[in-house]
Amino acid sequence: MKYILYLLLTGFSASIFAQKADRPNIIFIMSDDHALQAVSAYGHEVSKISPTPNIDRIANEGIKFDQSFVTNSLCGPSRATMLTGKYSHKNGFRANTDKFDSSQQTWISLLHDAGYTTGVIGKWHLKSTPKGFDHWNILNDQGEYYNPDFISNGDTTYVEGYTTDLVTDYSLDWIKEQKDADKPFALLIHHKAPHRNWMPPIRYANEFDNVEFPVPDNYFDDYEGRQAASEQEMVVYKDAQEGHDLKMSVAVGSDEWRKDIWPHLFDRLTDVQKEAWFKAYRAKNDKMNASQMTEKEMALWKYQRYLQDYCATVKAVDENVGRVLDYLDEQGLTENTIVVYTSDQGFYLGEHGWFDKRFMYEESFKTPLVMRYPKAIKAGNTAQAMVQNIDYGPTFLDYAGVTIPEDMQGKSLKTVAEKGKTPKDWRKSVYYHYYEYPGFHMVKRQYGVRTDRYKLIHFYNNIDTYEFYDLKKDPSEMNNLIDAPEYQDEIASLREELARLMKEAEEPPYESWKNTDYRKEARMRRLKEKKM
Ligand code: SGN
Ligand code: CA
């Protein structure tokens, strides 16, 4: 008896408590398509008009990664990469048409096996059912901004409300259930916003009506010397739908939207929500319809409307990040919880005239990444090490004291996060590969390498062009210098570096994927599933 009491008072109880105290909780907040130009911690012009004080809090109380990249700038592929710590060709999810094999190893399932309680709430977009999670409550496919369907354990529930708020409500409820448990927890909070079609909550629908967003210098880019860039379909003033995307009404006095090929999304609003929506947009739409704009003026007007709506959805994301941080403070959980904020990729806010992502150019290749862990990470640091979304899994495993499997291709960010400095043996370049062509926005297939200063991209499949940029002299990537005599040595060494990276990543031979038909593969898969 005495012995049992002794065990209880010392070793046994201590080991349980030590276990929980030694292993941090993890809250991974990811939004969808959040450009770092719209995170004020990064200091860009847009975010000066539309600040994100709560996301900045994570940066100020932790570390901000200035050189944070994705491996494939698209939703599903990025999520699969994050979960597995592997490039798309290794985790099998190359394009949004793919289906994630969720029986494969993920950092979440490893943490689960190691005694963590795990959950995911919000956008999933990987087609297969989440595995390795004690709790999952996910949006249907892309998810809806208003009154979304949530799917949990096979049951679909229609929930009234604004999705960014709901995802947070559910997340806080779940954290509440975990906070006093003996086990640490890991929660993925995945927002739909600020993904297209940028529908703000009513409370912010007029938030940016009276400001002027600065127009990027290359908004009217002519794409000279860049064939792939000239053949996409993601120009704000050409390809954004006037109804669906820009919420423009047909005429003065009418609330009816112009072109919207997906009207079911707006139709989800209740009559009360619709009335409030029309009230918010009517006057500004009437003003637009009453004015006589030239083509150029209209293109600029569309840019303002795009940014107004985009930033209004961001404001709600930021506000909801604040709710999570406040809750951690209230519950005394801040100290022992790692909080990460990131996006599944970057996004164009009018640079090159665009919305959307996919290209290996900086705006969509980069993604915001801030991380806080008061126990181990000093406040206020900024990292210049090149990091990628393959690194997140290894980082969380490292912090949880779980062995990082050999086949994870990323590196733990623990040392970078804690020292702020780039370790001497850190990677000197990053590899990128985008596959989804043909597809939405018709961005060509491409792969490439980026060092701290240079970038080489090969566009392939139905095109065969190379682009080379000197990012120091040309940060907006307007001058393709692939034929410039003074850069030929640099280009040759970048080609070598690219080959080395592809070998290291165990990318199969070029000929084996150059012409893969991803859409056909998806059709075959669906057919097979139907037969089963
Ligand atoms: C939807 C969007 C596209 C977007 C893809 C992929 N159209 O199809 O603009 O590129 O998703 O985005 S929408 O009007 O239906 O929103 S991703 O983030 O899921 O990869
Ligand atoms: Ca996305």
Side-chain angles (χ1 to χ4, degrees):
M1 184 65 197
K2 245 189 195 169
Y3 181 60
I4 291 173
L5 205 68
Y6 173 77
L7 264 185
L8 273 177
L9 290 173
T10 57
F12 183 56
S13 57
S15 77
I16 289 182
F17 290 116
Q19 231 190 7
K20 176 155 172 156
D22 285 350
R23 301 198 294 172
N25 302 310
I26 296 165
I27 297 184
F28 179 82
I29 311 176
M30 178 164 66
S31 54
D32 195 344
D33 296 357
H34 193 172
L36 61 81
Q37 306 89 291
V39 175
S40 41
Y42 286 95
H44 291 257
E45 291 306 310
V46 166
S47 64
K48 287 183 187 156
I49 296 180
S50 159
T52 51
N54 294 295
I55 299 169
D56 293 2
R57 236 185 99 186
I58 305 176
N60 296 335
E61 294 169 9
I63 186 157
K64 169 168 67 89
F65 291 85
D66 272 359
Q67 306 300 331
S68 152
F69 302 92
V70 293
T71 59
N72 180 355
S73 185
L74 195 63
C75 179
S78 175
R79 285 155 206 266
T81 294
M82 285 180 202
L83 284 169
T84 58
K86 294 177 184 172
Y87 294 99
S88 307
H89 62 274
K90 285 280 182 189
N91 65 47
F93 203 109
R94 300 144 304 175
N96 275 340
T97 44
D98 282 325
K99 180 175 183 175
F100 185 61
D101 168 12
S102 47
S103 67
Q104 67 185 302
Q105 164 188 286
T106 63
W107 64 268
I108 273 288
S109 56
L110 291 170
L111 281 193
H112 186 259
D113 293 348
Y116 270 69
T117 308
T118 52
V120 57
I121 296 168
K123 184 167 172 180
W124 178 247
H125 203 209
L126 290 171
K127 293 195 186 73
S128 49
T129 302
K131 291 231 170 73
F133 294 93
D134 294 292
H135 173 76
W136 52 274
N137 193 13
I138 56 173
L139 296 168
N140 183 20
D141 195 48
Q142 285 282 5
E144 299 97 3
Y145 269 104
Y146 278 84
N147 312 332
D149 283 332
F150 275 95
I151 307 171
S152 191
N153 292 323
D155 292 331
T156 302
T157 318
Y158 164 93
V159 189
E160 216 169 279
Y162 187 68
T163 304
T164 310
D165 301 334
L166 294 171
V167 164
T168 310
D169 294 346
Y170 288 142
S171 298
L172 294 183
D173 288 348
W174 190 81
I175 298 170
K176 233 172 256 174
E177 286 168 21
Q178 312 313 318
K179 69 182 173 55
D180 299 320
D182 289 336
K183 293 159 77 178
F185 65 82
L187 175 64
L188 313 185
I189 305 178
H190 286 182
H191 290 293
K192 187 227 163 38
H195 189 272
R196 192 180 178 193
N197 62 338
W198 320 297
M199 286 175 82
I202 303 291
R203 64 184 182 278
Y204 295 135
N206 297 105
E207 186 71 15
F208 299 105
D209 286 3
N210 301 315
V211 297
E212 183 88 15
F213 286 98
V215 183
D217 291 343
N218 57 2
Y219 187 58
F220 293 107
D221 193 349
D222 62 4
Y223 314 116
E224 201 197 318
R226 290 157 289 149
Q227 190 193 337
S230 74
E231 292 178 4
Q232 43 57 47
E233 294 173 6
M234 48 194 253
V235 175
V236 175
Y237 46 93
K238 280 193 199 139
D239 302 304
Q241 287 178 44
E242 295 192 332
H244 175 71
D245 291 314
L246 299 169
K247 297 94 182 173
M248 296 161 73
S249 60
V250 291
V252 174
S254 170
D255 292 318
E256 191 193 327
W257 275 4
R258 297 190 188 187
K259 186 175 177 192
D260 177 10
I261 59 166
W262 296 292
H264 64 282
L265 291 173
F266 190 75
D267 279 350
R268 293 186 77 88
L269 272 69
T270 62
D271 288 346
V272 173
Q273 288 167 338
K274 278 185 184 157
E275 215 21 70
W277 179 282
F278 292 141
K279 206 169 152 218
Y281 280 84
R282 196 172 296 152
K284 49 185 176 176
N285 273 340
D286 279 356
K287 195 170 159 205
M288 173 273 303
N289 275 317
S291 66
Q292 302 286 324
M293 282 188 250
T294 62
E295 208 178 308
K296 187 170 179 195
E297 284 165 347
M298 183 48 102
L300 291 167
W301 183 92
K302 286 182 175 177
Y303 169 76
Q304 295 298 330
R305 172 58 63 88
Y306 166 38
L307 269 280
Q308 283 162 5
D309 286 349
Y310 182 93
C311 289
T313 70
V314 165
K315 192 172 166 73
V317 170
D318 183 71
E319 184 180 40
N320 277 287
V321 168
R323 288 178 65 205
V324 175
L325 299 181
D326 289 348
Y327 184 73
L328 296 179
D329 284 348
E330 273 164 35
Q331 298 299 324
L333 289 168
T334 300
E335 193 67 12
N336 198 38
T337 302
I338 296 177
V339 180
V340 167
Y341 182 84
T342 187
S343 168
D344 61 345
Q345 9 68 209
F347 211 67
Y348 295 93
L349 299 182
E351 299 86 0
H352 302 284
W354 296 338
F355 61 97
D356 217 65
K357 52 260 178 177
R358 300 161 194 266
F359 278 99
M360 196 191 165
Y361 302 136
E362 293 293 272
E363 290 83 355
S364 48
F365 187 20
K366 278 191 164 176
T367 197
L369 178 65
V370 294
M371 185 170 168
R372 183 185 81 175
Y373 181 28
K375 225 175 178 181
I377 299 175
K378 261 205 313 246
N381 264 339
T382 301
Q384 296 307 323
M386 286 197 280
V387 306
Q388 263 184 311
N389 50 354
I390 35 171
D391 300 329
Y392 303 174
T395 306
F396 297 138
L397 293 173
D398 200 0
Y399 269 116
V402 177
T403 311
I404 303 164
E406 285 277 312
D407 61 351
M408 278 202 176
Q409 295 176 299
K411 286 166 175 270
S412 167
L413 300 177
K414 190 165 179 274
T415 314
V416 177
E418 291 177 10
K419 298 222 163 77
K421 290 203 185 93
T422 312
K424 280 215 168 67
D425 59 351
W426 195 253
R427 64 168 75 90
K428 306 278 185 288
S429 63
V430 281
Y431 177 55
Y432 182 81
H433 195 161
Y434 169 81
Y435 304 76
E436 196 179 277
Y437 182 93
F440 278 107
H441 307 297
M442 297 303 270
V443 175
K444 309 281 191 198
R445 297 184 193 185
Q446 58 194 276
Y447 62 94
V449 55
R450 185 201 191 277
T451 63
D452 61 348
R453 175 159 178 186
Y454 301 110
K455 186 184 291 182
L456 178 72
I457 317 173
H458 181 205
F459 293 94
Y460 70 97
N461 184 245
N462 71 335
I463 182 175
D464 186 12
T465 58
Y466 281 85
E467 294 184 9
F468 171 83
Y469 296 96
D470 180 342
L471 299 167
K472 196 168 166 199
K473 292 195 177 149
D474 177 25
S476 311
E477 297 159 293
M478 300 293 285
N479 302 312
N480 173 14
L481 296 172
I482 196 71
D483 295 320
E486 68 273 30
Y487 282 106
Q488 291 311 306
D489 287 350
E490 204 52 64
I491 291 169
S493 76
L494 229 57
R495 279 180 189 264
E496 265 174 42
E497 180 62 2
L498 179 56
R500 189 193 68 76
L501 281 177
M502 291 172 90
K503 195 167 169 215
E504 187 183 76
E506 298 178 354
E507 179 78 85
Y510 177 61
E511 292 301 327
S512 70
W513 38 265
K514 183 180 167 226
N515 294 317
T516 306
D517 186 340
Y518 303 105
R519 296 201 292 195
K520 187 171 170 201
E521 279 188 7
R523 278 198 303 276
M524 302 301 279
R525 189 194 66 236
R526 285 196 296 268
L527 213 66
K528 217 165 124 193
E529 284 170 358
K530 234 182 185 170
K531 279 189 191 145
M532 271 161 50

